[in-house]
Amino acid sequence: MAQTLGYLKESPSQTAGPYVHIGTNPNWVEITGVWDKDLGLVLVGPDTKGERIVVKGRVFDGAGAPLRDALIEIWQADAAGLHNSPQEKRGAADPHFAGWGRQPTDAVTGEYKFETIKPGRVPYIDGRPMAPHITVWIVARGINIGLHTRLYFDDEEAANAECPVLARIENKARVKTLLAVRSEENGLPAYTFDIRLQGEGETVFFDI
Amino acid sequence: MSDQGPFIQRNRDRHPPAYTPTYKTSVLRSPQHALLSLGNTISEMTGPVFGHNMLGPLDNDLIRNFAQTGDPIGQRIVVYGRVLDENARPVPGALLEFWQANAGGRYRHKKETYLAAIDPNFGGCGRAITDQEGRYAFRTIKPGAYPWPNGVNDWRPAHIHFSVFGHAFAQRLVTQMYFEGDPMIWQCPIVRTIPDKAAIEQLVAALDRNATLPMDAMAYKFDIVLRGRRSTLFENRMEGN
């Protein structure tokens, strides 16, 4: 026998279950008074730099029904392409933008919605710029391990065309599953990003 | 061991696959396409950080943080442990969120209809941030098993859900903690989505008599391992990758 390498093994994932909100959004499920406000509901304030946008959509199962018990988290760079994280070594991010948000999907309509800013471009591992994107992470009943995907913007055609990550999607017809569709809501650019877990139009999910 | 750089690849043989038909809800909620292997870019190697100053004094005390008229009913327990990475280094500053049913197996959630009673003094949520050695602790009531509409007579083992933030979004993890000696563990379709018995046992908290509070609460130890950063002895990527 060879020597052991001594690494520990990652704890295995389990589903977040249908009652994930008790732990993540207790006020939303009327468990009030434990903490003031649920984390991650508000991303932008008056001092946040960048273009305000709305990001919204629904998550559909393989039969086309929206998930009404999912939890969506987003993580993104600031307007200059810097992350508000100690692991960000390229410079200081906008202190008025945490870059992380969390929303449950609506218990009736299944819609999620974030008010945020359009992120700046971030370099890929070889230094080439990736197109502006938001990391999206989904957990829910029936999802055994959180699903990672990316939201890109359909009005960033030039940047999307040269994005080294989008270029890795071999089936080009699947690229559009990552493109949020621009419209307008209350005078703000609104991007609809529907996520299809399974079947026709299935969203591209990543092993990161 | 670097403080930057990519994380050890996730071993998906030890995690549950997406499609696990004995856990019925997974049938329509599992992607059919293979995951696209991206690895880590800066977007995945960074992540949000939560300061200890966001915590209230009762955030890790589920016995008192929702109490209205007295203590909740049930077996008082302490749950403690460490958050480590795969390189066996502590993960300080990790935000843990936990949620659970009460002693009778009833969740305080508007969609929950199980006939077991709500406990007026138990909310079921808590959170903690690990210290410099990666340690956390909370006290609570041991949750009860509860039935769920999967098979005609399926019951979840007693469990506490955990959501964990490490230092990077690549480490984000949601899991469940089970209790040593519970025979329900090995009958549960959700537990059994994990194909590897040793991996399941990594989710079973050990009864620790040394950490009990005598005449007060039993104690369970539950360590959590997050992905560790790769050891890059000969770095050939550009600085700042």
Side-chain angles (χ1 to χ4, degrees), chain A residues 96-129:
Chain A
H96 303 292
F97 184 63
W100 174 78
R102 178 158 74 185
Q103 290 280 351
T105 57
D106 186 88
V108 177
T109 65
E111 187 175 70
Y112 71 88
K113 185 184 288 185
F114 294 93
E115 291 183 33
T116 182
I117 54 143
K118 200 166 194 183
R121 295 178 76 171
V122 173
Y124 187 57
I125 48 182
D126 60 6
R128 285 181 290 165

Short mmCIF file of all heavy atoms in Angstrom, two decimals, chain A residues 96-129:
data_model
loop_
_atom_site.label_atom_id
_atom_site.label_comp_id
_atom_site.label_asym_id
_atom_site.label_seq_id
_atom_site.Cartn_x
_atom_site.Cartn_y
_atom_site.Cartn_z
N HIS A 96 -20.20 49.55 -1.28
CA HIS A 96 -21.66 49.66 -1.16
C HIS A 96 -22.39 48.59 -1.96
O HIS A 96 -23.58 48.72 -2.24
CB HIS A 96 -22.12 51.06 -1.58
CG HIS A 96 -21.47 52.14 -0.80
ND1 HIS A 96 -21.72 52.34 0.54
CD2 HIS A 96 -20.53 53.06 -1.14
CE1 HIS A 96 -20.98 53.35 0.99
NE2 HIS A 96 -20.24 53.80 -0.01
N PHE A 97 -21.64 47.56 -2.37
CA PHE A 97 -22.28 46.49 -3.11
C PHE A 97 -21.70 45.15 -2.65
O PHE A 97 -20.54 44.85 -2.92
CB PHE A 97 -22.07 46.67 -4.62
CG PHE A 97 -22.78 45.65 -5.46
CD1 PHE A 97 -24.16 45.58 -5.45
CD2 PHE A 97 -22.06 44.75 -6.23
CE1 PHE A 97 -24.82 44.63 -6.22
CE2 PHE A 97 -22.71 43.80 -7.01
CZ PHE A 97 -24.10 43.74 -6.99
N ALA A 98 -22.52 44.37 -1.95
CA ALA A 98 -22.03 43.09 -1.43
C ALA A 98 -21.91 42.05 -2.53
O ALA A 98 -21.09 41.15 -2.46
CB ALA A 98 -22.95 42.59 -0.32
N GLY A 99 -22.77 42.13 -3.53
CA GLY A 99 -22.66 41.21 -4.66
C GLY A 99 -23.39 39.90 -4.48
O GLY A 99 -23.41 39.08 -5.39
N TRP A 100 -23.97 39.70 -3.30
CA TRP A 100 -24.67 38.43 -3.03
C TRP A 100 -26.13 38.74 -2.72
O TRP A 100 -26.44 39.70 -2.02
CB TRP A 100 -24.03 37.71 -1.84
CG TRP A 100 -24.77 36.48 -1.42
CD1 TRP A 100 -24.74 35.26 -2.02
CD2 TRP A 100 -25.67 36.35 -0.31
NE1 TRP A 100 -25.57 34.38 -1.35
CE2 TRP A 100 -26.15 35.02 -0.30
CE3 TRP A 100 -26.13 37.25 0.68
CZ2 TRP A 100 -27.06 34.56 0.66
CZ3 TRP A 100 -27.04 36.78 1.63
CH2 TRP A 100 -27.48 35.44 1.61
N GLY A 101 -27.02 37.92 -3.26
CA GLY A 101 -28.43 38.08 -2.97
C GLY A 101 -29.11 36.73 -2.87
O GLY A 101 -28.60 35.72 -3.38
N ARG A 102 -30.26 36.73 -2.23
CA ARG A 102 -30.99 35.47 -2.04
C ARG A 102 -32.48 35.76 -2.01
O ARG A 102 -32.92 36.66 -1.31
CB ARG A 102 -30.55 34.82 -0.72
CG ARG A 102 -31.28 33.53 -0.43
CD ARG A 102 -30.50 32.66 0.53
NE ARG A 102 -30.52 33.16 1.89
CZ ARG A 102 -29.80 32.60 2.88
NH1 ARG A 102 -29.01 31.58 2.63
NH2 ARG A 102 -29.86 33.08 4.10
N GLN A 103 -33.24 35.00 -2.77
CA GLN A 103 -34.70 35.17 -2.84
C GLN A 103 -35.37 33.81 -2.97
O GLN A 103 -34.91 32.97 -3.75
CB GLN A 103 -35.08 36.00 -4.08
CG GLN A 103 -34.69 37.46 -4.02
CD GLN A 103 -35.63 38.32 -3.21
OE1 GLN A 103 -36.70 37.86 -2.79
NE2 GLN A 103 -35.24 39.56 -2.97
N PRO A 104 -36.46 33.61 -2.26
CA PRO A 104 -37.29 32.43 -2.53
C PRO A 104 -38.11 32.67 -3.78
O PRO A 104 -38.41 33.82 -4.12
CB PRO A 104 -38.19 32.35 -1.29
CG PRO A 104 -38.24 33.71 -0.73
CD PRO A 104 -36.99 34.44 -1.17
N THR A 105 -38.49 31.60 -4.46
CA THR A 105 -39.47 31.77 -5.54
C THR A 105 -40.85 31.91 -4.89
O THR A 105 -41.13 31.31 -3.85
CB THR A 105 -39.47 30.57 -6.52
OG1 THR A 105 -39.72 29.36 -5.80
CG2 THR A 105 -38.14 30.46 -7.23
N ASP A 106 -41.69 32.73 -5.53
CA ASP A 106 -42.99 33.05 -4.96
C ASP A 106 -43.83 31.79 -4.77
O ASP A 106 -43.87 30.92 -5.65
CB ASP A 106 -43.73 34.04 -5.86
CG ASP A 106 -45.02 34.51 -5.24
OD1 ASP A 106 -44.98 35.50 -4.48
OD2 ASP A 106 -46.07 33.87 -5.48
N ALA A 107 -44.50 31.70 -3.62
CA ALA A 107 -45.24 30.49 -3.28
C ALA A 107 -46.46 30.27 -4.17
O ALA A 107 -47.03 29.16 -4.20
CB ALA A 107 -45.67 30.55 -1.81
N VAL A 108 -46.90 31.30 -4.90
CA VAL A 108 -48.04 31.16 -5.81
C VAL A 108 -47.58 31.15 -7.28
O VAL A 108 -47.87 30.22 -8.03
CB VAL A 108 -49.07 32.29 -5.58
CG1 VAL A 108 -50.22 32.19 -6.59
CG2 VAL A 108 -49.60 32.24 -4.15
N THR A 109 -46.82 32.17 -7.66
CA THR A 109 -46.45 32.30 -9.07
C THR A 109 -45.13 31.59 -9.42
O THR A 109 -44.87 31.32 -10.59
CB THR A 109 -46.28 33.78 -9.44
OG1 THR A 109 -45.16 34.31 -8.71
CG2 THR A 109 -47.52 34.58 -9.10
N GLY A 110 -44.31 31.38 -8.43
CA GLY A 110 -43.01 30.79 -8.68
C GLY A 110 -41.96 31.78 -9.16
O GLY A 110 -40.84 31.38 -9.49
N GLU A 111 -42.30 33.07 -9.20
CA GLU A 111 -41.32 34.04 -9.71
C GLU A 111 -40.32 34.45 -8.63
O GLU A 111 -40.67 34.59 -7.46
CB GLU A 111 -42.03 35.29 -10.22
CG GLU A 111 -41.06 36.25 -10.93
CD GLU A 111 -41.75 37.45 -11.56
OE1 GLU A 111 -42.22 38.33 -10.81
OE2 GLU A 111 -41.80 37.52 -12.79
N TYR A 112 -39.08 34.63 -9.05
CA TYR A 112 -38.07 35.26 -8.20
C TYR A 112 -37.71 36.60 -8.81
O TYR A 112 -37.89 36.81 -10.02
CB TYR A 112 -36.82 34.38 -8.06
CG TYR A 112 -35.99 34.27 -9.32
CD1 TYR A 112 -34.99 35.20 -9.58
CD2 TYR A 112 -36.23 33.28 -10.25
CE1 TYR A 112 -34.23 35.13 -10.76
CE2 TYR A 112 -35.48 33.20 -11.43
CZ TYR A 112 -34.49 34.13 -11.67
OH TYR A 112 -33.75 34.06 -12.83
N LYS A 113 -37.20 37.50 -8.02
CA LYS A 113 -36.84 38.82 -8.55
C LYS A 113 -35.74 39.44 -7.68
O LYS A 113 -35.82 39.41 -6.45
CB LYS A 113 -38.06 39.74 -8.55
CG LYS A 113 -37.81 41.09 -9.20
CD LYS A 113 -39.01 42.01 -9.09
CE LYS A 113 -40.16 41.58 -9.99
NZ LYS A 113 -41.27 42.57 -9.96
N PHE A 114 -34.72 39.98 -8.34
CA PHE A 114 -33.66 40.72 -7.66
C PHE A 114 -33.54 42.10 -8.29
O PHE A 114 -33.59 42.24 -9.51
CB PHE A 114 -32.30 40.04 -7.83
CG PHE A 114 -32.18 38.69 -7.19
CD1 PHE A 114 -32.45 37.53 -7.92
CD2 PHE A 114 -31.78 38.56 -5.87
CE1 PHE A 114 -32.33 36.28 -7.34
CE2 PHE A 114 -31.64 37.30 -5.29
CZ PHE A 114 -31.92 36.16 -6.01
N GLU A 115 -33.34 43.10 -7.46
CA GLU A 115 -32.89 44.40 -7.96
C GLU A 115 -31.40 44.47 -7.69
O GLU A 115 -30.95 44.33 -6.56
CB GLU A 115 -33.64 45.53 -7.27
CG GLU A 115 -35.10 45.57 -7.67
CD GLU A 115 -35.85 46.73 -7.03
OE1 GLU A 115 -35.24 47.79 -6.82
OE2 GLU A 115 -37.04 46.53 -6.74
N THR A 116 -30.63 44.67 -8.76
CA THR A 116 -29.18 44.65 -8.60
C THR A 116 -28.57 45.64 -9.59
O THR A 116 -29.25 46.58 -10.03
CB THR A 116 -28.65 43.20 -8.79
OG1 THR A 116 -27.24 43.19 -8.59
CG2 THR A 116 -28.99 42.62 -10.15
N ILE A 117 -27.30 45.46 -9.91
CA ILE A 117 -26.64 46.28 -10.91
C ILE A 117 -26.06 45.36 -11.98
O ILE A 117 -25.81 44.18 -11.72
CB ILE A 117 -25.51 47.14 -10.32
CG1 ILE A 117 -24.52 46.25 -9.57
CG2 ILE A 117 -26.05 48.25 -9.45
CD1 ILE A 117 -23.11 46.68 -9.71
N LYS A 118 -25.86 45.91 -13.13
CA LYS A 118 -25.23 45.12 -14.18
C LYS A 118 -23.74 44.97 -13.85
O LYS A 118 -23.05 45.97 -13.62
CB LYS A 118 -25.42 45.79 -15.54
CG LYS A 118 -25.23 44.82 -16.69
CD LYS A 118 -25.76 45.45 -17.97
CE LYS A 118 -25.89 44.41 -19.05
NZ LYS A 118 -26.34 45.01 -20.32
N PRO A 119 -23.24 43.75 -13.80
CA PRO A 119 -21.85 43.55 -13.41
C PRO A 119 -20.88 43.94 -14.51
O PRO A 119 -21.20 43.85 -15.70
CB PRO A 119 -21.77 42.04 -13.13
CG PRO A 119 -22.86 41.45 -13.94
CD PRO A 119 -23.95 42.48 -14.03
N GLY A 120 -19.69 44.35 -14.11
CA GLY A 120 -18.60 44.57 -15.08
C GLY A 120 -18.00 43.24 -15.50
O GLY A 120 -18.37 42.18 -15.01
N ARG A 121 -17.06 43.31 -16.43
CA ARG A 121 -16.47 42.08 -16.95
C ARG A 121 -15.34 41.60 -16.05
O ARG A 121 -14.62 42.38 -15.44
CB ARG A 121 -15.97 42.31 -18.39
CG ARG A 121 -17.12 42.60 -19.33
CD ARG A 121 -16.65 42.88 -20.73
NE ARG A 121 -16.26 41.65 -21.42
CZ ARG A 121 -15.96 41.60 -22.72
NH1 ARG A 121 -15.99 42.72 -23.44
NH2 ARG A 121 -15.63 40.47 -23.30
N VAL A 122 -15.21 40.30 -15.98
CA VAL A 122 -14.26 39.63 -15.10
C VAL A 122 -13.37 38.74 -15.97
O VAL A 122 -13.88 38.12 -16.91
CB VAL A 122 -15.04 38.76 -14.08
CG1 VAL A 122 -14.12 37.92 -13.23
CG2 VAL A 122 -15.94 39.63 -13.22
N PRO A 123 -12.06 38.67 -15.69
CA PRO A 123 -11.21 37.84 -16.55
C PRO A 123 -11.39 36.34 -16.31
O PRO A 123 -11.62 35.89 -15.18
CB PRO A 123 -9.79 38.27 -16.18
CG PRO A 123 -9.91 38.86 -14.83
CD PRO A 123 -11.29 39.44 -14.72
N TYR A 124 -11.30 35.60 -17.37
CA TYR A 124 -11.24 34.14 -17.32
C TYR A 124 -9.85 33.74 -16.79
O TYR A 124 -8.99 34.58 -16.58
CB TYR A 124 -11.48 33.63 -18.75
CG TYR A 124 -11.61 32.13 -18.92
CD1 TYR A 124 -12.58 31.41 -18.22
CD2 TYR A 124 -10.78 31.44 -19.81
CE1 TYR A 124 -12.71 30.04 -18.42
CE2 TYR A 124 -10.91 30.08 -20.00
CZ TYR A 124 -11.87 29.38 -19.29
OH TYR A 124 -11.99 28.04 -19.47
N ILE A 125 -9.63 32.46 -16.58
CA ILE A 125 -8.37 32.01 -15.98
C ILE A 125 -7.14 32.35 -16.82
O ILE A 125 -6.05 32.46 -16.30
CB ILE A 125 -8.39 30.49 -15.68
CG1 ILE A 125 -8.91 29.71 -16.89
CG2 ILE A 125 -9.26 30.19 -14.48
CD1 ILE A 125 -9.00 28.21 -16.66
N ASP A 126 -7.34 32.55 -18.14
CA ASP A 126 -6.18 32.90 -18.97
C ASP A 126 -6.10 34.40 -19.23
O ASP A 126 -5.30 34.85 -20.04
CB ASP A 126 -6.24 32.14 -20.30
CG ASP A 126 -7.51 32.45 -21.09
OD1 ASP A 126 -8.28 33.34 -20.68
OD2 ASP A 126 -7.74 31.80 -22.13
N GLY A 127 -6.94 35.17 -18.53
CA GLY A 127 -6.88 36.61 -18.64
C GLY A 127 -7.84 37.23 -19.65
O GLY A 127 -8.10 38.43 -19.60
N ARG A 128 -8.39 36.43 -20.55
CA ARG A 128 -9.36 36.98 -21.49
C ARG A 128 -10.63 37.41 -20.74
O ARG A 128 -11.02 36.73 -19.78
CB ARG A 128 -9.75 35.94 -22.55
CG ARG A 128 -8.70 35.69 -23.62
CD ARG A 128 -9.20 34.66 -24.62
NE ARG A 128 -9.28 33.32 -24.01
CZ ARG A 128 -9.95 32.30 -24.54
NH1 ARG A 128 -10.64 32.45 -25.65
NH2 ARG A 128 -9.95 31.12 -23.95
N PRO A 129 -11.27 38.48 -21.17
CA PRO A 129 -12.47 38.91 -20.44
C PRO A 129 -13.66 37.97 -20.71
O PRO A 129 -13.91 37.58 -21.84
CB PRO A 129 -12.75 40.30 -20.98
CG PRO A 129 -12.11 40.33 -22.34
CD PRO A 129 -10.92 39.42 -22.27
#
